[in-house]
Structures are given as structure tokens and as C-alpha cells.
Amino acid sequence: MTSILELPVDEYMLPGNRSCAGCGLGIGLRYILKALEGKCVMTVPASCLTVLGGMYPVSSVSVPWINSVFPGTAAMASGVAAGLKALKKEDITVLAMAGDGGTYDIGIQALSGAAERNANFLFICYDNEAYMNTGTQRSGATPKGVKTTTTPIIGKMHSPKDMGQIMEAHRIPYVATTCVSYPTDLYDKVKKAREIYGLRYIHLCVPCPSGWQYDPQNTVTIGQLAVETGAVVLYEIENGVFRLTGRSRRLAKDGKLKPLTEYLSAQKRFGNISSDTLEELQEYINKRWEEFISKDKTLFE
Amino acid sequence: MTVLNNEKTISIYNNSSNPKAYPPGKHVLTGNQSAAIGAFLCGVQVIAAYPITPQSPVVEELSKFVEDGELSAEFVPVESEHSAMGVCIGASIAGARVFTATSANGLAYMCEQLHWASGSRLPIVMGCVNRAMAAPWSVLNDQQDSMSQRDAGWIQLFCRDNQEIIDTVIQAYRIAEKVYLPVMVCYDGYILSHTVMPLEVPDENKVKKFLPPYIPHTPIDINNPVNINPVTLGEPRYNANGVLCHGYMEHKYLHHKALRDSLNIIEEVDSEYKDTFGRSAGGLFSLYKTDDAEVVIVCAGSLSKMNILVVDMLREQNIPIGLVSLRSYRPFPNQKLSAALKNKKLILTIDKSLSYGYQGPICIDVKSCLFEAGISSIVISFIAGLGGRDIKPYEIAETAYDYWNKFLNNELNSENIYESQWINCKY
Ligand SMILES: Cc1ncc(C[n+]2csc(CCOP(=O)(O)OP(=O)(O)O)c2C)c(N)n1
Ligand code: SF4
Ligand SMILES: [Mg+2]
């Protein structure tokens, strides 16, 4: 595992971008581009990432970047990959990067099709657990109980999809989850994914101070709490082999999850969650955690 | 659109001859085969499509070429038309020559991508095998699908027969790559797509000479990174070097101007094609016996071919009739068309589609181009052949005969002028 001091010093994010103060997305993108050494072309749908990218005629990153219609990220990436292959210019990584809405909901059809064809690109879903760009509406990734602008009073009544499992079911060569609070975990996964042919899917937890309603200075802590409580679990599935990684691996080996309330109470979006829902969420997390531990055959090797 | 002045990517032709089964010369082929062979001859490098009747055989034919190894292109069997156009957009930005085809609901499903393709100024060529729009379901021909996408910023060319399909596909790449606009090659479902006709398949070597390699306007280059199509404000903005750059409106002006400028390019390309291959594919529009005509039919697509027969039939009855076959619907050749219709007393437009709540789209455009030219001929809107309703030459002939006589006898009433006339509608 790469240590923080070993990360390359080259930067591909230019000084200044249009995301909110404390946004986790910029942290994530910075390490993603480091891992790809800037040798990539991005396809990006309508989302906070579009905003971060900058308005014409200025840009906040120094890599080629192609904007896409909201549902079409994976289709455009397939096309860029096919075009580069036809022109024998395959030394550039095609990086499709979409929000949870652009992945779980409106983008799932194009992504599923591309995964079934094992199209040659890296898809990173950055998950801030709602439609942030349009003003924090619920998405298929929003946790149960969360207040959003379309679940304003009682909170979301449905549980989110498990996108990692959905992608795993496509039997693509690489599936991983990670979180911006653990930049080396993210870096190593992108670096590994870069070398693999076919569709690689990385799920990136991106805490969002505006939508999750916490103090912008706490982004890293919130992401760490997400992992330490098991709300987000870091793993990778390489050619079908499942491994917990990083902080989640250490917790599984010789630690124990923190109570979920520590994570939830740090964010106002969970403000009026009922004790029943809280209990249900904690039970779900415990059960899933056990499943992950028994799924990882490499843990106690 | 900023055209960057850096290293251009040159595409390479992958095929080196005609398909084995289709050497240069005479063949008897369907419209769909004709479109597929046209794309082959242009050396398309990426094909992405999703099946829909009556387009399916085009892509089946192309996938055969690819699996055979005759055409070394990437064939991307996408999960929807939305993605088909998405793949074409991505591949075209990457610098590949791309092809797709669709019909009706498939075209409608692409809608936001159609605007994205034209707004990105990509020279994508797409066959639109014209079919009626559901509901209710119909797989048969009319032209509601392409007419409904009239304002998506594409060039739309209509073909009269299968020869024009292959010729128009080849010309379409030449036009598209010159003006950086996508081109929809429209041809009638079944009537052309599934009907065999004799036609000449061009020689691949000649096509290569006619069609220079595709050079993308903004190549993907990690040493010169560009953010393509970011959020663009209404007002112009300064870039990091203090240069004032276009706002959204300037981009749209340039997009529109490119379409208007393509009026000349379409004509030039067709006449150069004629010099190279010995035949025109119909320019902006073509005229049949209009010189001395007093009544003129205006229509587009395969119906134009049939109407040659109608004109001949009526000429035998001494009706002074002529025909305008519209090939370029967008850009609309308003100035040239109104000049061709000058001094005509009665104009009969026949649309296989509707602008619901008003009249046929061709009619509306013909009227407006006559008005701007100060021509006050009477224009009558006919609607025919919706959802595959058969159109027989004698029906058109009788209708034209009837309306010409009504005109001569001053019998045209406001009902004839303000409302579309439905041919062979048994309501
Ligand atoms: C077809 C279509 N529907 C709706 C929209 C409006 N829209 C733009 S961004 C967005 C939400 C994006 O959410 P997500 O993908 O989670 O990214 P985030 O903004 O949260 O980073 C929506 C609904 C659109 N651009 N296109
Ligand atoms: S809304 Fe959230 S994800 Fe979007 S820019 Fe702001 S902090 Fe980042
Ligand atoms: Mg989101």
C-alpha cells in the first residue's frame, strides 16, 4: 500500500474550482488524477463535477474532459474507448466519472450495457448520496431516513440500492469501494484499475457539507466515521476475489465498528430520524458487516 | 466553437476495397443494403446501433462486414439508441468516422443526444429509416420521426431511391466533415429500405479520393487538454489569458450559420460527386417539368419518385404541372426554392407527417419562403401516407387534377386554404 509520503507530487487540479467549501469531490479527483498521472480523458455528466470542472472558457483540471448528457456517461466513455481503439491510441485511460444520480438512477442503463460488453474504461461513481447539483433531492443512493428536498418532512422511506453488488453481478474484472477520507486507498485502487482491461467500477464515498449538513471543516472526519461505523465499507473484487481493504480490513481483523449514531448525529440530514429507523439501519449494517467478513476468504490467511 | 490549432489526428482507412459481395458496378439492392455499403465504402471506424424495424438490416449487414473481417471497424452493440448516439458522440470526438441508423421511436429516444451531437459540431452520419411515430404502434412508413427532430440542429437530406441512399451516405460524410455538423440521411421505411432496386455501387478507391480523412476539430490530447462542452453562460466571458470568448448565444449563432452555409456545400458536394461518379443525388432539391408549369407539387423522399409518373400522367391531360423534390429539408433552401416557385399559380405540398395543430411541415416552410420572396401563389397542404397508408399515383393525379380545376374555376374556399387536405383518409 502506498503511503501518503509516496504519493506523486504532480498536480492535475489547477488552483481553484467552483465546488463548495469543504467539498469531498475535489479531494477525490485530485488523487484519482495523480494515480492516472494525468494520462486520461474524462467523460462527465451533469452533476456537481461539471460545476467543479469550471465554466467556459476556463477549466479547473489539466486533463482532457468531455461533458456528456446526464444519462449518457458510460455510453460516451464506450464511444471514446472505441474511437481510441480504432485509431490505435489506447495509451490513454478513459475515465467516466458520474455522481450517484448519474450512476444508480438515470445512468444505470448505459452503465449496465457497457459492463455487459466489458467496454474498456474506468467508471468512478462519486457518491454524495443525493442529487446535489439540482438542490439535494433524493436519489437511489440516499440512505433511509435522510431529509432531502424531496423527502423534506418524514425523510426517505426506502433503502438505497447496493450498487457495488449490482456491478459485481455484471462479473466485470474489477469492482472496488473507497472513500475520499482515505486518499491512499483511493490512489492504490485507481492505480490498480488503470492496468486492467475492460470495465472497472470504483465506488467513491464523497461527503458533501452542503447536502449532508455539517461544518465544511469536518469532511475528512465524516468520511472516516462513515467507514469506522460500517456505513461505508472499503473493499475490492478483483476477478471475482473479494477483499476488505484499508481501514475496513483493519477493523475486521482486530477492531470493532463504532455505533452508527456517531456518524449520523454528526450530520443534520439525519436530524429527525426515528429510533425505529435508526435501529433498522444499525441492524442492517451489522448484518452486512458480518456478510463482508465471511465473504473475505483472505482475511485470516 | 474553438477550433484548436494543434496537431490534427488523421484517420486511417481500414478497408482497402469494396466488400467482396459488392464489387463496383450494377447490383440489385435494398435501401438498407445500400446504406450499409455506403458506410463501408466511407471506411467507417466505429458503428453503434440498436435494432428497430425497418432499420435493423442496415446494422445486421454492417456487423456481418465487421465479423467477416472485411471492415476493420469497432462495432458497439449498445443497449439503446440513447447510447448508440452517445457512443457515436464519444467516438467522433476521439477522431473516428462513425455511423449509426435508426427509425421512429429509436430516433425519438435519442433526442437529447441529437442536440448534443450537433451542439458539439460532430460530423456523425446517421441513416433515418423513416417510420411512423407511435402511439398507436406502427412499424410502417411516414416521415413523422425525422420531421419531429427538425430543430435538433442536424442537416436532414431525403433520398428518393436506393441509388440516392448510397450516394447520399457518401456525400453526407463529405458535407459533415467540411461544416462539422451531423447529417441525417432520411429514406422511407419499406418503400426503400426493404425494396430492391438496381443501382450502381461506387468503387472504393474513387470514394477514398472523394472523401479525405476525417480531422476532428478538437482532438483529445493530454498535452493540450480541453474541456469540451462545459457550462457556458449567456454572456461572453474572459479566459485565463484575458481573451473574451463566446457565450452560449454566439455558439448557437455559429451552429446556425454553419447550417445556413451548408446550403452551398451541399450543392457543391453534389456537383463534384456528379463529376466523379457520373450522377447527382438531387442537390438541394430537383425540378421536373417545372419550367412551363403553372401548378407544382412539392414533396420529399420516395414519393417524389412516384410523382414523376403523376406529372407525366397529368401532362398527357394537358395539365401544366411540374414537381419539386426536396432533398435538403434542413438547411431549408428558402431562397432558391422560392425562385424556382416564382410565377407558379398553385402549389400543392404533400407531407407524410404533421405539425399537429397546424399543417404539414413542408407546407409551412414552403409558404414562409414564398412570403419572404413576395410571392403570393396559393399553397395547399396535403397529408398522405401516414402510418404506411398506401399512396397510389392515380390518387395524387386525381387530387392534383381536381384542385387545378377548382383553382381555374375560382372554387378554392377557405377550408381548402386554411386546413390540410387528407388524401385517402376514410374518416
Ligand atoms: C435528462 C436529464 N434530467 C435531469 C437533469 C437535471 N440534473 C442535472 S444534474 C442532476 C443531479 C445530479 O445528481 P448526481 O448524479 O448524484 O450528481 P451530484 O450533483 O450529486 O454531484 C439532475 C437531476 C439533466 N441534466 N438531464
Ligand atoms: S453540493 Fe456537495 S458535492 Fe456538490 S459541490 Fe457542494 S459540497 Fe460538493
Ligand atoms: Mg449525488
Side-chain angles (χ1 to χ4, degrees):
Chain A
M1 189 171 159
T2 310
S3 82
I4 206 100
L5 294 174
E6 289 162 356
L7 289 172
V9 292
D10 287 339
E11 297 291 349
Y12 305 94
M13 295 218 18
L14 302 168
N17 68 61
R18 302 184 73 90
S19 62
C20 309
C23 176
L25 186 50
I27 308 175
L29 186 59
R30 182 170 171 220
Y31 294 100
I32 292 166
L33 296 180
K34 278 178 188 275
L36 297 172
E37 296 174 280
K39 295 195 179 76
C40 64
V41 46
M42 298 177 65
T43 71
V44 176
S47 59
C48 282
L49 186 54
T50 324
V51 176
L52 184 151
M55 285 193 291
Y56 185 78
V58 292
S59 172
S60 68
V61 296
S62 59
V63 298
W65 173 311
I66 313 171
N67 289 280
S68 158
V69 293
F70 188 30
T73 325
M76 184 185 267
S78 288
V80 174
L84 292 175
K85 184 169 179 206
L87 299 173
K88 301 181 176 59
K89 296 206 284 188
E90 282 184 288
D91 49 340
I92 312 173
T93 301
V94 180
L95 167 63
M97 194 160 161
D100 48 295
T103 304
Y104 285 60
D105 297 338
I106 204 166
I108 197 170
Q109 176 177 317
L111 175 59
S112 175
E116 185 258 338
R117 301 189 303 271
N118 199 27
N120 188 26
F121 62 86
L122 167 59
F123 191 103
I124 298 182
C125 166
Y126 73 90
D127 185 6
N128 51 23
E129 300 183 349
Y131 299 155
M132 294 310 177
N133 184 240
T134 38
T136 322
Q137 294 85 13
R138 87 189 275 290
S139 79
T142 307
K144 192 166 178 176
V146 165
K147 269 195 296 182
T148 67
T149 52
T150 48
T151 53
I153 297 161
I154 26 185
K156 194 185 169 194
M157 302 208 298
H158 310 101
S159 303
K161 307 177 189 178
D162 188 331
M163 200 60 205
Q165 277 192 21
I166 292 172
M167 294 316 290
E168 185 184 354
H170 284 76
R171 291 182 289 182
I172 50 177
Y174 189 72
V175 175
T177 59
T178 182
C179 173
V180 299
S181 301
Y182 300 92
T184 51
D185 187 74
L186 167 63
Y187 177 85
D188 284 339
K189 283 170 178 167
V190 175
K191 213 164 144 70
K192 182 181 272 184
R194 183 184 172 185
E195 304 303 327
I196 298 170
Y197 182 91
L199 202 141
R200 298 137 274 167
Y201 177 82
I202 296 180
H203 194 93
L204 175 63
C205 165
V206 171
C208 157
S210 311
W212 297 10
Q213 299 171 48
Y214 62 82
D215 190 328
Q217 68 178 322
N218 295 335
T219 292
V220 172
T221 321
I222 294 283
Q224 285 169 341
L225 276 174
V227 173
E228 286 169 351
T229 57
V232 169
V233 178
L234 310 180
Y235 65 80
E236 67 182 0
I237 309 168
E238 204 181 341
N239 292 320
V241 180
F242 179 93
R243 276 183 80 251
L244 290 166
T245 67
R247 185 83 186 109
S248 294
R249 191 171 186 85
R250 284 196 299 281
L251 284 169
K253 274 195 150 158
D254 46 28
K256 125 172 186 312
L257 296 180
K258 289 184 175 167
L260 185 63
T261 43
E262 283 193 31
Y263 172 58
L264 305 196
S265 61
Q267 307 162 55
K268 288 211 191 83
R269 64 173 174 152
F270 289 101
N272 57 354
I273 197 166
S274 69
S275 53
D276 282 356
T277 309
L278 179 62
E279 207 175 304
E280 188 192 324
L281 289 179
Q282 184 66 69
E283 267 172 33
Y284 170 69
I285 281 178
N286 295 347
K287 186 167 154 277
R288 190 176 64 168
W289 183 239
E290 291 309 318
E291 281 170 13
F292 278 140
I293 289 177
S294 60
K295 196 172 172 184
D296 188 342
K297 306 289 178 232
T298 72
L299 250 191
F300 300 106
E301 265 173 3
Chain B
M1 179 69 45
T2 346
V3 176
L4 287 170
N5 184 19
N6 51 14
E7 188 205 348
K8 305 278 186 189
T9 322
I10 308 289
S11 65
I12 323 126
Y13 283 97
N14 294 313
N15 51 333
S16 54
S17 65
N18 278 53
K20 279 193 289 301
Y22 309 107
K26 279 266 183 253
H27 292 267
V28 178
L29 299 172
T30 64
N32 281 338
Q33 286 174 306
S34 175
I37 299 164
F40 180 105
L41 296 176
C42 294
V44 292
Q45 293 157 310
V46 174
I47 302 153
Y50 190 77
I52 183 165
T53 305
Q55 155 268 27
S56 307
V58 190
V59 239
E60 289 167 5
E61 190 79 37
L62 281 166
S63 41
K64 230 188 290 164
F65 291 145
V66 174
E67 285 202 6
D68 266 2
E70 280 204 86
L71 178 64
S72 94
E74 293 298 307
F75 182 82
V76 188
V78 283
E79 84 303 326
S80 71
E81 289 87 354
H82 193 282
S83 289
M85 190 44 66
V87 167
C88 287
I89 291 169
S92 183
I93 290 174
R97 187 171 281 158
V98 302
F99 181 78
T100 186
T102 190
S103 298
N105 291 58
L107 186 71
Y109 198 37
M110 279 181 187
C111 181
E112 68 166 333
Q113 297 279 33
L114 296 179
H115 287 265
W116 202 272
S118 64
S120 310
R121 304 291 303 275
L122 297 172
I124 295 166
V125 172
M126 168 164 69
C128 176
V129 191
N130 290 123
R131 158 179 158 178
M133 288 299 306
W137 279 122
S138 163
V139 297
L140 302 178
N141 168 249
D142 66 36
Q143 296 169 346
Q144 191 66 45
D145 50 2
S146 47
M147 288 302 180
S148 299
Q149 300 304 333
R150 179 193 69 182
D151 298 336
W154 285 53
I155 292 175
Q156 290 186 322
L157 303 176
F158 281 87
C159 304
R160 287 177 295 184
D161 59 27
N162 295 357
Q163 180 72 67
E164 284 188 3
I165 296 173
I166 196 165
D167 296 339
T168 300
V169 167
I170 297 166
Q171 291 189 17
Y173 282 104
R174 182 66 195 277
I175 298 162
E177 290 169 13
K178 171 106 186 165
V179 297
Y180 290 111
L181 284 174
V183 180
M184 214 180 280
V185 177
C186 308
Y187 58 95
D188 288 310
Y190 291 107
I191 301 171
L192 298 182
S193 70
H194 284 64
T195 308
V196 293
M197 288 177 195
L199 59 89
E200 181 91 17
V201 171
D203 183 339
E204 206 256 356
N205 290 312
K206 271 196 189 170
V207 176
K208 239 186 237 175
K209 273 190 214 122
F210 179 77
L211 185 63
Y214 162 43
I215 299 167
H217 57 68
T218 310
I220 295 174
D221 180 358
I222 52 171
N223 299 315
N224 187 4
V226 176
N227 187 333
I228 299 175
N229 294 322
V231 176
T232 302
L233 294 181
E235 301 300 327
R237 279 182 100 217
Y238 290 97
N239 72 8
N241 300 324
V243 180
L244 192 62
C245 297
H246 299 323
Y248 181 89
M249 200 147 162
E250 286 72 28
H251 284 289
K252 290 296 119 180
Y253 170 77
L254 290 172
H255 179 170
H256 176 66
K257 186 171 182 300
L259 262 145
R260 295 301 291 168
D261 291 347
S262 67
L263 281 167
N264 285 336
I265 308 290
I266 293 166
E267 276 198 308
E268 277 167 32
V269 167
D270 190 49
S271 81
E272 202 184 310
Y273 192 86
K274 193 175 174 195
D275 294 342
T276 314
F277 297 94
R279 61 184 172 271
S280 147
L284 292 167
F285 54 83
S286 48
L287 303 174
Y288 184 67
K289 298 193 178 169
T290 50
D291 281 356
D292 62 338
E294 293 175 60
V295 49
V296 170
I297 297 176
V298 184
C299 59
S302 61
L303 188 58
S304 325
K305 199 82 180 182
M306 190 191 86
N307 281 339
I308 290 178
L309 200 72
V310 171
V311 167
D312 289 344
M313 278 158 72
L314 289 170
R315 283 275 174 170
E316 275 174 29
Q317 309 290 317
N318 295 321
I319 309 287
I321 193 163
L323 170 70
V324 175
S325 312
L326 205 52
R327 178 173 182 246
S328 176
Y329 182 57
R330 281 295 178 273
F332 193 69
N334 52 331
Q335 219 177 330
K336 292 206 160 142
L337 187 61
S338 57
L341 293 174
K342 207 172 142 197
N343 303 325
K344 309 302 172 199
K345 294 185 172 130
L346 180 65
I347 292 157
L348 311 173
T349 60
I350 311 177
D351 277 277
K352 281 189 181 180
S353 63
L354 267 169
S355 174
Y356 286 95
Y358 190 23
Q359 297 175 341
I362 295 175
C363 174
I364 298 166
D365 286 338
V366 165
K367 281 184 186 174
S368 87
C369 84
L370 294 180
F371 181 82
E372 70 201 9
I375 300 167
S376 53
S377 321
I378 294 175
V379 182
I380 308 217
S381 165
F382 292 95
I383 305 299
L386 299 189
R389 178 65 56 91
D390 203 17
I391 308 176
K392 301 215 162 53
Y394 74 82
E395 286 165 358
I396 305 286
E398 274 172 11
T399 307
Y401 185 90
D402 193 28
Y403 276 79
W404 178 239
N405 281 320
K406 276 190 187 156
F407 170 81
L408 290 179
N409 302 330
N410 265 326
E411 283 169 6
L412 288 173
N413 57 29
S414 61
E415 177 69 16
N416 301 139
I417 296 193
Y418 293 116
E419 297 299 331
S420 291
Q421 309 301 307
W422 290 52
I423 298 177
N424 191 18
C425 176
K426 288 154 184 130
Y427 182 75

